[in-house]
Amino acid sequence: MAFADHFSEKSAGYASSRPTYPDELFRALAEKSPGRETVWDCATGNGQAAIGLARHFRHVEATDASAEQVANAKPCAGVTYSVQPAERTHFPDASFDAVNVAQALHWFDFERFNVEVARVLRPGGVILATSYGWSHVSPEFDRELKRIVLDPIHPLWPPQNSHIFNGYRDIPFPYERIDFPPVRIELRWTLAQLLAYIGTWTATRRKLQDDPAFLDRAVAHLARAWGSEDERLVTMPLHVQCGRR
């Protein structure tokens, strides 16, 4: 499977608009790992997860197949960025206590990636795969967002995104399952920030190619459902798969 690069073109916007992950996600991973020396953040993008991992592991190797994404990654003490595909890295055998994959597993060649994970994880090492669920603001706003934005872009999603919609339940995961506490992202966002995040989605970008004013038109409809508050609480449940080698 060739690397399908859906993000390099807008990597700077991805870096500024994608949400960060709650610290409890990485703390729980560290607690379940056999050690806290090294962790591989695979498909790091701009380093959203790598920076959080650095608070709980001595060193983070953060890789991405996109050189443009890595070029826009945020520098952080304890994090080394490199351009490498998920399925084939230069890391020595048994290098890592843990492997983290945030919002990316659905793009991989699953069989080749699992072989690579088995090679680089230490005995008893842990893998954590996470994806965002749909965002929630309020029942009224969520209905309008679905009608104005989500339904029109639905046919434009790449087929791999169906794995996210299924909560990663249909992806091969050949590891000893580990119970993981429920985790969700909570943000105080403006409507503009939420739409900037939606604008980073592959399906949205495809829609904007043919209809550049799509999100601009959506603002007027969504503003009424958003209400008078500048910022509102936006929640995103995380779909989590955790296992041990």
Side-chain angles (χ1 to χ4, degrees):
M1 180 186 294
F3 168 53
D5 189 350
H6 294 272
F7 303 104
S8 287
E9 182 184 356
K10 299 293 184 182
S11 59
Y14 187 102
S16 62
S17 300
R18 285 286 171 126
T20 56
Y21 296 91
D23 189 65
E24 63 191 283
L25 181 71
F26 307 121
R27 182 173 63 247
L29 174 60
E31 290 171 352
K32 296 177 185 299
S33 299
R36 300 192 182 195
E37 283 297 304
T38 54
V39 58
W40 175 23
D41 185 37
C42 181
T44 191
N46 303 128
Q48 284 90 347
I51 293 169
L53 288 164
R55 292 192 288 269
H56 299 279
F57 291 86
R58 186 183 63 82
H59 187 72
V60 181
E61 287 285 352
T63 66
D64 201 280
S66 165
E68 189 70 19
Q69 287 278 58
V70 171
N72 282 282
K74 298 177 181 178
C76 178
V79 178
T80 299
Y81 292 103
S82 60
V83 179
Q84 301 188 66
E87 299 86 356
R88 187 181 66 257
T89 68
H90 61 56
F91 301 124
D93 295 353
S95 298
F96 298 106
D97 297 303
V99 174
N100 180 73
V101 186
Q103 194 68 11
L105 183 61
H106 51 290
W107 298 118
F108 297 171
D109 180 321
F110 304 135
E111 183 176 356
R112 292 176 59 214
F113 174 66
N114 286 324
V115 169
E116 186 70 351
V117 169
R119 185 183 71 79
V120 302
L121 266 182
R122 295 181 179 126
V126 173
I127 178 172
L128 176 67
T130 308
S131 65
Y132 308 137
W134 294 114
S135 62
H136 301 287
V137 176
S138 70
E140 179 189 3
F141 182 85
D142 295 349
R143 284 193 299 271
E144 281 297 282
L145 183 66
K146 182 176 185 300
R147 182 177 70 86
I148 299 298
V149 176
L150 302 186
D151 287 348
I153 68 173
H154 182 75
L156 302 176
W157 285 109
Q160 294 93 330
N161 282 84
S162 65
H163 297 303
I164 294 180
F165 306 149
N166 292 331
Y168 279 178
R169 289 185 296 271
D170 55 353
I171 288 181
F173 199 72
Y175 310 98
E176 177 189 346
R177 298 276 180 170
I178 299 175
D179 290 335
F180 206 88
V183 183
R184 65 180 185 177
I185 295 172
E186 294 187 348
L187 303 155
R188 296 293 302 183
W189 263 359
T190 64
L191 177 57
Q193 287 174 305
L194 177 59
L195 289 176
Y197 160 61
I198 290 172
T200 68
W201 296 351
T202 305
T204 310
R205 296 202 312 273
R206 289 177 171 178
K207 179 71 173 176
L208 290 170
Q209 288 176 353
D210 295 328
D211 184 1
F214 173 65
L215 287 181
D216 293 334
R217 292 196 308 273
V219 170
H221 295 280
L222 294 174
R224 290 192 290 271
W226 186 266
S228 59
E229 296 179 64
D230 183 35
E231 294 184 345
R232 296 194 65 172
L233 178 65
V234 179
T235 62
M236 299 178 199
L238 293 177
H239 303 303
V240 173
Q241 302 284 348
C242 188
R244 192 177 304 280
R245 177 180 181 276

